[in-house]
Short mmCIF file of all heavy atoms in Angstrom, two decimals:
data_model
loop_
_atom_site.label_atom_id
_atom_site.label_comp_id
_atom_site.label_asym_id
_atom_site.label_seq_id
_atom_site.Cartn_x
_atom_site.Cartn_y
_atom_site.Cartn_z
N LEU I 29 -41.36 -24.66 94.32
CA LEU I 29 -41.05 -24.88 92.91
C LEU I 29 -39.69 -25.57 92.75
O LEU I 29 -39.55 -26.50 91.97
CB LEU I 29 -41.07 -23.56 92.15
CG LEU I 29 -40.71 -23.63 90.68
CD1 LEU I 29 -41.62 -24.59 89.92
CD2 LEU I 29 -40.75 -22.24 90.05
N GLU I 30 -38.72 -25.13 93.52
CA GLU I 30 -37.38 -25.75 93.46
C GLU I 30 -37.44 -27.24 93.78
O GLU I 30 -36.79 -28.05 93.12
CB GLU I 30 -36.45 -25.03 94.43
CG GLU I 30 -35.02 -25.55 94.39
CD GLU I 30 -34.11 -24.81 95.36
OE1 GLU I 30 -34.38 -23.63 95.67
OE2 GLU I 30 -33.13 -25.42 95.80
N GLN I 31 -38.23 -27.61 94.78
CA GLN I 31 -38.37 -29.03 95.15
C GLN I 31 -39.00 -29.84 94.01
O GLN I 31 -38.60 -30.96 93.73
CB GLN I 31 -39.18 -29.18 96.43
CG GLN I 31 -38.50 -28.64 97.66
CD GLN I 31 -37.15 -29.29 97.89
OE1 GLN I 31 -37.01 -30.51 97.86
NE2 GLN I 31 -36.13 -28.47 98.10
N TRP I 32 -40.01 -29.27 93.35
CA TRP I 32 -40.67 -29.96 92.23
C TRP I 32 -39.74 -30.09 91.03
O TRP I 32 -39.73 -31.12 90.35
CB TRP I 32 -41.96 -29.25 91.83
CG TRP I 32 -43.11 -29.64 92.70
CD1 TRP I 32 -43.69 -28.91 93.68
CD2 TRP I 32 -43.81 -30.88 92.68
NE1 TRP I 32 -44.71 -29.62 94.27
CE2 TRP I 32 -44.80 -30.83 93.67
CE3 TRP I 32 -43.69 -32.05 91.92
CZ2 TRP I 32 -45.67 -31.89 93.92
CZ3 TRP I 32 -44.57 -33.09 92.17
CH2 TRP I 32 -45.54 -33.00 93.15
N VAL I 33 -38.95 -29.05 90.76
CA VAL I 33 -38.02 -29.09 89.62
C VAL I 33 -37.04 -30.25 89.79
O VAL I 33 -36.69 -30.93 88.83
CB VAL I 33 -37.29 -27.74 89.46
CG1 VAL I 33 -36.13 -27.85 88.50
CG2 VAL I 33 -38.27 -26.68 88.99
N LYS I 34 -36.61 -30.51 91.01
CA LYS I 34 -35.69 -31.62 91.29
C LYS I 34 -36.32 -32.98 90.96
O LYS I 34 -35.62 -33.94 90.71
CB LYS I 34 -35.26 -31.60 92.76
CG LYS I 34 -34.35 -30.45 93.10
CD LYS I 34 -34.02 -30.47 94.59
CE LYS I 34 -33.17 -29.28 94.97
NZ LYS I 34 -32.88 -29.26 96.42
N GLN I 35 -37.64 -33.04 90.95
CA GLN I 35 -38.34 -34.31 90.72
C GLN I 35 -38.76 -34.50 89.26
O GLN I 35 -39.35 -35.53 88.91
CB GLN I 35 -39.59 -34.38 91.60
CG GLN I 35 -39.30 -34.28 93.08
CD GLN I 35 -38.32 -35.33 93.56
OE1 GLN I 35 -38.41 -36.49 93.20
NE2 GLN I 35 -37.36 -34.91 94.36
N GLU I 36 -38.48 -33.53 88.40
CA GLU I 36 -38.94 -33.59 87.01
C GLU I 36 -38.48 -34.89 86.34
O GLU I 36 -37.33 -35.29 86.44
CB GLU I 36 -38.40 -32.40 86.22
CG GLU I 36 -38.93 -32.37 84.81
CD GLU I 36 -38.47 -31.14 84.04
OE1 GLU I 36 -37.72 -30.33 84.60
OE2 GLU I 36 -38.87 -31.02 82.89
N GLY I 37 -39.42 -35.55 85.69
CA GLY I 37 -39.14 -36.78 84.97
C GLY I 37 -39.11 -38.03 85.84
O GLY I 37 -38.96 -39.14 85.35
N LYS I 38 -39.29 -37.85 87.14
CA LYS I 38 -39.27 -38.98 88.07
C LYS I 38 -40.70 -39.38 88.42
O LYS I 38 -41.63 -38.61 88.29
CB LYS I 38 -38.52 -38.61 89.35
CG LYS I 38 -37.07 -38.30 89.13
CD LYS I 38 -36.41 -37.93 90.43
CE LYS I 38 -34.95 -37.57 90.21
NZ LYS I 38 -34.33 -37.12 91.46
N TYR I 39 -40.84 -40.60 88.90
CA TYR I 39 -42.12 -41.06 89.42
C TYR I 39 -42.35 -40.36 90.75
O TYR I 39 -41.49 -40.38 91.63
CB TYR I 39 -42.10 -42.58 89.62
CG TYR I 39 -43.33 -43.12 90.28
CD1 TYR I 39 -44.49 -43.32 89.55
CD2 TYR I 39 -43.35 -43.42 91.63
CE1 TYR I 39 -45.64 -43.80 90.15
CE2 TYR I 39 -44.49 -43.91 92.24
CZ TYR I 39 -45.62 -44.10 91.50
OH TYR I 39 -46.76 -44.57 92.10
N VAL I 40 -43.47 -39.67 90.89
CA VAL I 40 -43.76 -38.91 92.10
C VAL I 40 -45.07 -39.39 92.68
O VAL I 40 -46.07 -39.53 91.98
CB VAL I 40 -43.86 -37.40 91.78
CG1 VAL I 40 -44.25 -36.63 93.02
CG2 VAL I 40 -42.56 -36.88 91.21
N GLN I 41 -45.05 -39.65 93.97
CA GLN I 41 -46.28 -39.98 94.68
C GLN I 41 -46.64 -38.78 95.53
O GLN I 41 -45.87 -38.35 96.38
CB GLN I 41 -46.07 -41.22 95.55
CG GLN I 41 -47.33 -41.68 96.21
CD GLN I 41 -47.14 -43.00 96.93
OE1 GLN I 41 -46.07 -43.59 96.90
NE2 GLN I 41 -48.16 -43.43 97.60
N TYR I 42 -47.82 -38.22 95.28
CA TYR I 42 -48.25 -37.01 95.95
C TYR I 42 -49.48 -37.34 96.79
O TYR I 42 -50.54 -37.63 96.25
CB TYR I 42 -48.57 -35.96 94.88
CG TYR I 42 -48.85 -34.58 95.41
CD1 TYR I 42 -47.85 -33.83 96.02
CD2 TYR I 42 -50.10 -34.02 95.28
CE1 TYR I 42 -48.11 -32.56 96.48
CE2 TYR I 42 -50.37 -32.75 95.75
CZ TYR I 42 -49.37 -32.02 96.34
OH TYR I 42 -49.63 -30.76 96.81
N ARG I 43 -49.34 -37.34 98.07
CA ARG I 43 -50.41 -37.80 98.96
C ARG I 43 -51.54 -36.79 99.21
O ARG I 43 -52.68 -37.18 99.30
CB ARG I 43 -49.82 -38.25 100.29
CG ARG I 43 -48.94 -39.46 100.12
CD ARG I 43 -49.34 -40.52 101.10
NE ARG I 43 -48.50 -41.68 100.90
CZ ARG I 43 -48.96 -42.84 100.50
NH1 ARG I 43 -50.24 -42.98 100.23
NH2 ARG I 43 -48.17 -43.86 100.36
N PRO I 44 -51.24 -35.49 99.34
CA PRO I 44 -52.35 -34.56 99.59
C PRO I 44 -53.35 -34.56 98.43
O PRO I 44 -53.02 -34.94 97.32
CB PRO I 44 -51.67 -33.20 99.70
CG PRO I 44 -50.26 -33.50 100.04
CD PRO I 44 -49.96 -34.82 99.38
N PHE I 45 -54.54 -34.10 98.70
CA PHE I 45 -55.57 -34.05 97.67
C PHE I 45 -55.07 -33.24 96.49
O PHE I 45 -54.49 -32.19 96.64
CB PHE I 45 -56.85 -33.41 98.23
CG PHE I 45 -57.91 -33.26 97.20
CD1 PHE I 45 -58.66 -34.35 96.80
CD2 PHE I 45 -58.14 -32.03 96.61
CE1 PHE I 45 -59.64 -34.22 95.84
CE2 PHE I 45 -59.12 -31.89 95.64
CZ PHE I 45 -59.87 -32.98 95.26
N LEU I 46 -55.28 -33.75 95.31
CA LEU I 46 -54.83 -33.09 94.09
C LEU I 46 -55.98 -33.08 93.10
O LEU I 46 -56.46 -34.13 92.69
CB LEU I 46 -53.64 -33.85 93.50
CG LEU I 46 -53.10 -33.36 92.17
CD1 LEU I 46 -52.40 -32.02 92.35
CD2 LEU I 46 -52.12 -34.37 91.61
N SER I 47 -56.44 -31.90 92.76
CA SER I 47 -57.48 -31.82 91.73
C SER I 47 -56.80 -31.74 90.38
O SER I 47 -55.72 -31.16 90.25
CB SER I 47 -58.37 -30.60 91.97
OG SER I 47 -57.59 -29.43 91.87
N ALA I 48 -57.41 -32.32 89.40
CA ALA I 48 -56.85 -32.31 88.06
C ALA I 48 -58.00 -32.29 87.05
O ALA I 48 -59.12 -32.67 87.38
CB ALA I 48 -55.98 -33.54 87.83
N THR I 49 -57.68 -31.84 85.86
CA THR I 49 -58.68 -31.76 84.81
C THR I 49 -58.06 -32.15 83.48
O THR I 49 -56.86 -32.02 83.30
CB THR I 49 -59.27 -30.33 84.72
OG1 THR I 49 -60.19 -30.27 83.64
CG2 THR I 49 -58.18 -29.29 84.50
N ARG I 50 -58.89 -32.62 82.57
CA ARG I 50 -58.42 -32.90 81.22
C ARG I 50 -58.40 -31.62 80.38
O ARG I 50 -57.87 -31.61 79.29
CB ARG I 50 -59.30 -33.96 80.57
CG ARG I 50 -59.16 -35.30 81.31
CD ARG I 50 -60.01 -36.36 80.70
NE ARG I 50 -59.32 -36.86 79.51
CZ ARG I 50 -59.77 -37.83 78.75
NH1 ARG I 50 -60.91 -38.40 79.04
NH2 ARG I 50 -59.09 -38.22 77.71
N ASP I 51 -58.95 -30.54 80.92
CA ASP I 51 -59.03 -29.25 80.24
C ASP I 51 -57.81 -28.40 80.61
O ASP I 51 -57.74 -27.81 81.69
CB ASP I 51 -60.32 -28.55 80.65
CG ASP I 51 -60.56 -27.25 79.91
OD1 ASP I 51 -59.59 -26.65 79.39
OD2 ASP I 51 -61.71 -26.81 79.88
N LYS I 52 -56.84 -28.34 79.72
CA LYS I 52 -55.59 -27.63 79.98
C LYS I 52 -55.83 -26.15 80.26
O LYS I 52 -55.22 -25.56 81.14
CB LYS I 52 -54.65 -27.80 78.79
CG LYS I 52 -53.25 -27.32 79.03
CD LYS I 52 -52.38 -27.66 77.83
CE LYS I 52 -50.92 -27.37 78.08
NZ LYS I 52 -50.08 -27.79 76.95
N GLN I 53 -56.74 -25.54 79.51
CA GLN I 53 -57.02 -24.11 79.69
C GLN I 53 -57.60 -23.83 81.08
O GLN I 53 -57.24 -22.84 81.72
CB GLN I 53 -57.98 -23.60 78.61
CG GLN I 53 -58.20 -22.11 78.64
CD GLN I 53 -56.92 -21.30 78.50
OE1 GLN I 53 -56.03 -21.65 77.72
NE2 GLN I 53 -56.79 -20.25 79.28
N LEU I 54 -58.47 -24.69 81.56
CA LEU I 54 -59.04 -24.52 82.90
C LEU I 54 -57.94 -24.59 83.96
O LEU I 54 -57.92 -23.80 84.89
CB LEU I 54 -60.10 -25.59 83.16
CG LEU I 54 -60.77 -25.58 84.52
CD1 LEU I 54 -61.52 -24.27 84.74
CD2 LEU I 54 -61.70 -26.76 84.66
N ALA I 55 -57.02 -25.51 83.81
CA ALA I 55 -55.91 -25.63 84.77
C ALA I 55 -55.03 -24.38 84.73
O ALA I 55 -54.57 -23.91 85.77
CB ALA I 55 -55.09 -26.88 84.47
N LYS I 56 -54.80 -23.83 83.54
CA LYS I 56 -54.02 -22.59 83.42
C LYS I 56 -54.72 -21.44 84.14
O LYS I 56 -54.09 -20.64 84.83
CB LYS I 56 -53.82 -22.22 81.95
CG LYS I 56 -52.79 -23.04 81.24
CD LYS I 56 -52.66 -22.55 79.81
CE LYS I 56 -51.67 -23.36 79.02
NZ LYS I 56 -51.52 -22.87 77.64
N GLU I 57 -56.03 -21.35 83.98
CA GLU I 57 -56.79 -20.30 84.64
C GLU I 57 -56.70 -20.43 86.16
O GLU I 57 -56.56 -19.44 86.87
CB GLU I 57 -58.25 -20.33 84.19
CG GLU I 57 -58.44 -19.90 82.75
CD GLU I 57 -59.84 -20.12 82.24
OE1 GLU I 57 -60.77 -20.32 83.05
OE2 GLU I 57 -60.01 -20.09 81.01
N TYR I 58 -56.75 -21.63 86.65
CA TYR I 58 -56.64 -21.88 88.08
C TYR I 58 -55.26 -21.45 88.59
O TYR I 58 -55.14 -20.82 89.63
CB TYR I 58 -56.91 -23.35 88.37
CG TYR I 58 -57.10 -23.64 89.83
CD1 TYR I 58 -58.26 -23.26 90.49
CD2 TYR I 58 -56.12 -24.30 90.56
CE1 TYR I 58 -58.44 -23.53 91.84
CE2 TYR I 58 -56.28 -24.57 91.91
CZ TYR I 58 -57.45 -24.17 92.54
OH TYR I 58 -57.61 -24.43 93.87
N ALA I 59 -54.22 -21.77 87.83
CA ALA I 59 -52.86 -21.40 88.22
C ALA I 59 -52.66 -19.89 88.21
O ALA I 59 -51.90 -19.35 89.01
CB ALA I 59 -51.84 -22.07 87.29
N ASN I 60 -53.32 -19.21 87.31
CA ASN I 60 -53.14 -17.77 87.17
C ASN I 60 -54.05 -16.95 88.09
O ASN I 60 -54.05 -15.73 88.01
CB ASN I 60 -53.37 -17.34 85.72
CG ASN I 60 -52.21 -17.76 84.85
OD1 ASN I 60 -51.06 -17.63 85.24
ND2 ASN I 60 -52.51 -18.28 83.67
N ASN I 61 -54.79 -17.61 88.95
CA ASN I 61 -55.67 -16.92 89.88
C ASN I 61 -54.82 -16.22 90.94
O ASN I 61 -54.44 -16.81 91.94
CB ASN I 61 -56.65 -17.90 90.52
CG ASN I 61 -57.63 -17.23 91.43
OD1 ASN I 61 -57.53 -16.03 91.71
ND2 ASN I 61 -58.57 -18.00 91.94
N SER I 62 -54.51 -14.96 90.71
CA SER I 62 -53.60 -14.23 91.59
C SER I 62 -54.15 -13.98 92.99
O SER I 62 -53.42 -13.63 93.89
CB SER I 62 -53.21 -12.89 90.94
OG SER I 62 -54.37 -12.11 90.76
N GLU I 63 -55.44 -14.15 93.17
CA GLU I 63 -56.04 -13.94 94.48
C GLU I 63 -55.60 -15.02 95.48
O GLU I 63 -55.66 -14.81 96.67
CB GLU I 63 -57.57 -13.95 94.38
CG GLU I 63 -58.14 -12.85 93.51
CD GLU I 63 -57.80 -11.48 94.05
OE1 GLU I 63 -57.90 -11.29 95.28
OE2 GLU I 63 -57.44 -10.60 93.25
N ARG I 64 -55.19 -16.15 94.98
CA ARG I 64 -54.88 -17.27 95.86
C ARG I 64 -53.59 -17.05 96.65
O ARG I 64 -53.48 -17.40 97.81
CB ARG I 64 -54.78 -18.56 95.06
CG ARG I 64 -56.13 -18.94 94.47
CD ARG I 64 -56.09 -20.24 93.71
NE ARG I 64 -55.68 -21.29 94.58
CZ ARG I 64 -54.72 -22.16 94.28
NH1 ARG I 64 -54.09 -22.11 93.15
NH2 ARG I 64 -54.39 -23.11 95.11
N ARG I 65 -52.56 -16.51 95.99
CA ARG I 65 -51.28 -16.40 96.66
C ARG I 65 -50.43 -15.36 95.95
O ARG I 65 -50.00 -15.56 94.84
CB ARG I 65 -50.61 -17.76 96.62
CG ARG I 65 -49.55 -17.95 97.62
CD ARG I 65 -49.32 -19.42 97.78
NE ARG I 65 -47.97 -19.63 98.21
CZ ARG I 65 -47.41 -20.79 98.34
NH1 ARG I 65 -48.08 -21.87 98.05
NH2 ARG I 65 -46.19 -20.91 98.74
N LYS I 66 -50.16 -14.27 96.61
CA LYS I 66 -49.46 -13.15 95.99
C LYS I 66 -47.96 -13.42 95.81
O LYS I 66 -47.34 -12.86 94.93
CB LYS I 66 -49.64 -11.88 96.82
CG LYS I 66 -51.08 -11.48 97.00
CD LYS I 66 -51.59 -10.78 95.78
CE LYS I 66 -53.00 -10.28 96.06
NZ LYS I 66 -53.77 -10.06 94.90
N ASP I 67 -47.38 -14.25 96.65
CA ASP I 67 -45.93 -14.47 96.63
C ASP I 67 -45.49 -15.63 95.76
O ASP I 67 -44.33 -15.99 95.75
CB ASP I 67 -45.42 -14.70 98.06
CG ASP I 67 -45.95 -16.00 98.66
OD1 ASP I 67 -47.05 -16.44 98.26
OD2 ASP I 67 -45.27 -16.56 99.53
N GLY I 68 -46.42 -16.23 95.02
CA GLY I 68 -46.08 -17.46 94.31
C GLY I 68 -45.99 -17.31 92.81
O GLY I 68 -46.30 -16.28 92.23
N GLN I 69 -45.55 -18.40 92.21
CA GLN I 69 -45.39 -18.51 90.77
C GLN I 69 -46.46 -19.46 90.25
O GLN I 69 -46.59 -20.57 90.75
CB GLN I 69 -43.99 -19.09 90.48
CG GLN I 69 -43.71 -19.42 89.05
CD GLN I 69 -43.53 -18.18 88.21
OE1 GLN I 69 -43.07 -17.16 88.69
NE2 GLN I 69 -43.91 -18.25 86.96
N PRO I 70 -47.25 -19.03 89.22
CA PRO I 70 -48.25 -19.96 88.67
C PRO I 70 -47.55 -21.11 87.93
O PRO I 70 -46.62 -20.89 87.16
CB PRO I 70 -49.06 -19.10 87.71
CG PRO I 70 -48.27 -17.87 87.47
CD PRO I 70 -47.29 -17.73 88.58
N ILE I 71 -48.00 -22.31 88.20
CA ILE I 71 -47.39 -23.53 87.64
C ILE I 71 -48.49 -24.39 87.03
O ILE I 71 -49.57 -24.55 87.61
CB ILE I 71 -46.67 -24.34 88.73
CG1 ILE I 71 -45.62 -23.49 89.45
CG2 ILE I 71 -46.06 -25.62 88.17
CD1 ILE I 71 -44.48 -23.04 88.57
N LEU I 72 -48.20 -24.99 85.89
CA LEU I 72 -49.10 -25.96 85.27
C LEU I 72 -48.41 -27.31 85.23
O LEU I 72 -47.37 -27.47 84.59
CB LEU I 72 -49.47 -25.53 83.84
CG LEU I 72 -50.39 -26.49 83.10
CD1 LEU I 72 -51.78 -26.48 83.73
CD2 LEU I 72 -50.46 -26.14 81.63
N PHE I 73 -48.94 -28.27 85.98
CA PHE I 73 -48.42 -29.63 85.96
C PHE I 73 -49.13 -30.41 84.86
O PHE I 73 -50.36 -30.34 84.74
CB PHE I 73 -48.68 -30.35 87.28
CG PHE I 73 -47.81 -29.90 88.42
CD1 PHE I 73 -48.28 -28.99 89.34
CD2 PHE I 73 -46.52 -30.40 88.57
CE1 PHE I 73 -47.50 -28.58 90.39
CE2 PHE I 73 -45.73 -29.99 89.62
CZ PHE I 73 -46.22 -29.08 90.55
#
Side-chain angles (χ1 to χ4, degrees):
L29 178 57
E30 183 179 333
Q31 293 302 312
W32 277 105
V33 167
K34 290 178 183 178
Q35 301 304 316
E36 184 176 2
K38 297 179 182 176
Y39 175 80
V40 176
Q41 185 173 357
Y42 188 67
R43 295 231 179 245
F45 177 77
L46 176 70
S47 62
T49 177
R50 295 180 79 178
D51 185 338
K52 190 175 188 176
Q53 186 58 39
L54 178 62
K56 284 181 181 181
E57 290 172 17
Y58 192 73
N60 287 318
N61 183 353
S62 61
E63 298 298 317
R64 294 182 60 229
R65 200 161 153 185
K66 301 281 186 203
D67 66 332
Q69 173 72 31
I71 304 295
L72 179 69
F73 286 98

